[in-house]
Amino acid sequence: MAEHPQTLVVFHAHPDDEALLTAGTMAAAAARGHRVVLVVATDGALGLADESAHGAKGDALAATRSRELAASAAALGVARTVRLGYADSGSGPEVFPDPPGGRRFVRVPVDEAARALATVLLEESADVLTTYDPAGGYGHRDHVRVHEVGARAAELAREQGRDVRVLWATVPRELIGRGIDLAMKVYRFPPDFDRSSFDTAYSPRSRITHRVPVRRHARAKRAAMRAHASQASGGEGDRTLGVLSRLPWPLFGLVLGREWFVEPGAERTGHPATDVFEVAT
Ligand SMILES: [Zn+2]
């Protein structure tokens, strides 16, 4: 291999988030001989599932989603998958009580979860860590938490002498707006749907420091998405919004060709970098 192999650690909230936001970047890095490590915070047991097909709830859904995650990781060339094992905090108005024997991710102190992630960063001699933008994309509480935990874990690794660059996996906000408008033409949205809530989601295009072309890895990305079969359909009506906010399938067409990152603190002067191992200039 021509280049010095590096280690990319991608940190995600739920099984399936890797497929939408970073799958192409992961597959591209693995194909070039870099080490790709996937860390997932929660079991995804509050995810939407097509119950008629899977009949899965709670523990059963967690087991299904864990298998789906393994299949997705295999499709992307992931060398190691780490499940931090916290319970899904859900996206409803209230956080449910902790399940028996578990703790919901948002109830785990940031420092505690960050120590678990920092351990992986140090074991792996990570070069780059991907997390989420401060908005947590569309604001799911577990995604906001990934941002916070990721930032703290990088600090802890630095204290141990390991400098890990942090990149926020995101999508240009303007593109999300277009996707929502498209989806509104196709799906019935609940009457209280607030289009303007997406005005502050993800990141403005002007802040993007990395735009990674991933079309060559679209097949792997699609395979990763398909691996998460339990999340592919979720009924109609209000649940459509659930599907859309949790995993915006209508946006697939828009995200298959590129993935986007913001490197905080990096002042971009020219075009975005096209490789996560490069610093934007
Ligand atoms: Zn998620």
Side-chain angles (χ1 to χ4, degrees), residues 12-18 21 42 65 88 132 136 138 140 142-143 146 245-247:
H12 285 289
H14 309 103
D16 78 16
D17 291 318
E18 84 292 349
L21 288 167
T42 77
R65 298 201 70 183
D88 194 334
Y132 301 144
Y138 55 85
H140 188 297
D142 283 333
H143 286 232
V146 159
S245 58
R246 175 122 195 172
L247 183 70

Side-chain angles (χ1 to χ4, degrees), residues 5 8 17 19 60 62 64 75 84 88 99-100 110 134 140 190 238 244 249 265 267 272:
L8 169 66
D17 291 318
T64 298
L84 297 186
D88 194 334
V110 169
H140 188 297
D238 336 337
L244 185 74
W249 294 95
E267 253 342 294

Side-chain angles (χ1 to χ4, degrees), residues 1 8 23-36 73 75-79 217 277:
M1 127 198 21
L8 169 66
T25 303
M26 294 161 74
R32 283 161 52 202
H34 298 298
R35 182 170 171 85
V36 178
L76 300 174
V78 168
H217 300 278
F277 297 111

